[in-house]
Amino acid sequence: MEVKKTAIEGVYIIEPRVFEDARGYFFESFSQREFDEKIGPVTFVQDNESKSSYGVMRGLHFQRPPFTQSKLVRCVKGQ
């Protein structure tokens, strides 16, 4: 997993190692050990996935304590 810092504090771009061959591909989307080593301790308690229609841009909301949540966002297609 390659971790890139962004201009926003606490926001990272995480690029997994993709193993690809004639059958398709495989990648590890989350590793607690690698997160702990490269970003810091994070406890994930929920994992959601959504699909948007063409032209739809979903947003994320910021939460203040005591309701804060770390967010792991995956873009499977697009630029």
Side-chain angles (χ1 to χ4, degrees):
M1 150 171 107
E2 183 181 347
V3 176
K4 298 177 183 178
K5 288 186 176 185
T6 68
I8 303 170
E9 179 68 29
V11 175
Y12 302 90
I13 295 173
I14 301 165
E15 295 182 354
R17 285 185 300 272
V18 179
F19 302 93
E20 192 168 3
D21 62 22
R23 301 169 294 172
Y25 68 87
F26 170 83
F27 67 90
E28 188 174 77
S29 60
F30 175 77
S31 165
Q32 186 71 59
R33 178 186 52 79
E34 284 200 84
F35 259 70
D36 289 350
E37 288 174 7
K38 297 180 179 182
I39 296 175
V42 176
T43 302
F44 286 106
V45 296
Q46 183 175 329
D47 180 27
N48 302 325
E49 182 172 330
S50 68
K51 179 182 182 292
S52 298
S53 298
Y54 180 80
V56 173
M57 173 71 123
R58 292 187 184 261
L60 295 175
H61 59 279
F62 178 80
Q63 295 165 292
R64 294 179 184 222
F67 306 106
T68 56
Q69 291 181 329
S70 295
K71 294 181 173 41
L72 178 60
V73 179
R74 182 182 317 159
C75 179
V76 295
K77 187 176 181 180
Q79 297 179 356

